[in-house]
Amino acid sequence: MKEEILEKLWEEVRELSLGSATTAVERLHSPPSPLDFLRRFVSPNKPCLISNATLHWPAASLWSSSDAHLLRALSSAAVSLHITPSGAADSLTPHPSDPSSLCFASAHVHSMPFPLALQAIYASDLGAKFVAYAQQQNDCFRSEYSALKDDCEPHIPWATEALGCLPEAVNLWIGNELSQTSFHKDHYENLYAVVSGEKHFLLLPPTDFHRMYIREYPAAHYSYSEETGEFKLEIEDPVRYVPWCSVDPYPTLERREREMSKFPLYFNGPKPFEVTVKAGEILYLPCMWFHHVRQSPDSLGRTIAVNYWYDMQFDIKYAYFNFLQSIPLPSSHDLTLHEVSCGSSTDASICTSGGESDVNAVESKLPAENNDDSEEE
């Protein structure tokens, strides 16, 4: 009975607010006025894609044509590089001591000179044993990458006026096609601007909470050995559990049938909204929307984006969401003992993704230990 009620909710949300006839996000061909943005998108918690939004930024030409400007501006900068075996950081992976269950794995994070970090990102596609992604958050654009501050706007003017505040954090992302971000949500209003390459988002509204099968998983960290070129995945001690979305929207053919049987509310429910954000465009990603992200590189082999996180309003919509996520569903979907429901967890709301010689040179620069925490996109 509960599932029928929730299915009715998903249907009504789409009919009344999001549009039930399409899985496309509404496109604006130029930036909206602050009032229009507030009325049509922020207040109803509805995403949109804005074209011709950042073509006036110096970064639009300086970052896309070559690496020369980035290398010159950041020649002496140390940046945080996130390193994983496959490009899936902050995601679920088999437990190191019990492969039949899962853990939440964070990337190996290492501070290194930007030129080497960029080499490592390219090396991921050239036979390296790792995938490197510059995805440090916590306002990294205004700290680690501050030398680039004049290349982009410090905030999005029409969004700032509509939201009534300046962004709390501005982050820079540089990666390649191997990097992806698993389903999660953020408690921020997110203005996501692609400068080069493309980002591919799957989006689900907060009302689809139960379709994400949020469970608690033991937290783990990757460490990388420069001597062996191998990764080691270690569970945190003492054990800490992280609530995370269980659904992989792109399972392999071998796993698809089993994944569909484990997570029927996702695979049999309404299709996610799909949007590709290209260079010069901004995606407005409303607070608490679940999103999964993949990317396609530019002609140089990298994707570059800047996102602006504005504080959300903890208003009645937030109260409604907390009530919704407190409603448990009977669980009979082949979960292991390590996959405990987090419906009552106080942290549940965070659930929310050169040549061969250069490869060897970069691998030799990566340290064996890492103790930094990684965060989601």
Side-chain angles (χ1 to χ4, degrees), residues 108-181:
H108 179 113
V109 184
H110 178 49
S111 179
M112 62 195 310
F114 176 78
L116 275 180
L118 189 61
Q119 263 188 39
I121 293 168
Y122 286 136
S124 302
D125 273 338
L126 297 170
K129 296 180 180 179
F130 58 81
V131 176
Y133 192 14
Q135 61 150 22
Q136 183 70 10
Q137 295 164 63
N138 298 323
D139 207 26
C140 70
F141 185 70
R142 297 188 291 200
S143 54
E144 295 184 356
Y145 298 94
S146 60
L148 301 175
K149 63 182 179 63
D150 293 334
D151 295 348
C152 305
E153 290 180 305
H155 62 99
I156 307 298
W158 43 270
T160 296
E161 185 173 343
L163 296 169
C165 61
L166 290 166
E168 180 175 290
V170 184
N171 303 305
L172 180 69
W173 311 77
I174 306 177
N176 58 45
E177 61 185 358
L178 299 175
S179 298
Q180 62 177 294
T181 304

Side-chain angles (χ1 to χ4, degrees), residues 31 55 65 93 120 211 223 231 314:
L55 297 179
S65 56
T93 195
R211 300 180 63 200
S223 59
F231 283 91
F314 289 88

Side-chain angles (χ1 to χ4, degrees), residues 277-296:
V277 189
K278 299 182 179 181
E281 298 179 333
I282 290 179
L283 172 66
Y284 166 55
L285 179 57
C287 59
M288 300 187 295
W289 271 65
F290 295 97
H291 50 290
H292 181 282
V293 193
R294 299 194 296 180
Q295 50 196 10
S296 298

Side-chain angles (χ1 to χ4, degrees), residues 188-253:
Y188 291 101
E189 305 286 3
N190 192 349
L191 279 295
Y192 202 98
V194 172
V195 179
S196 194
E198 298 179 350
K199 294 273 187 171
H200 311 289
F201 286 80
L202 294 181
L203 307 177
L204 285 174
T207 46
D208 287 29
F209 169 83
H210 292 91
R211 300 180 63 200
M212 294 285 89
Y213 293 89
I214 298 170
R215 304 287 184 257
E216 288 189 343
Y217 298 91
H221 280 88
Y222 284 111
S223 59
Y224 181 84
S225 170
E226 59 179 318
E227 295 181 359
T228 65
E230 300 294 333
F231 283 91
K232 183 178 182 180
L233 182 63
E234 298 177 299
I235 300 295
E236 290 186 7
D237 184 17
V239 177
R240 176 176 64 92
Y241 286 89
V242 176
W244 203 252
C245 305
S246 303
V247 174
D248 176 3
Y250 300 108
T252 61
L253 289 176

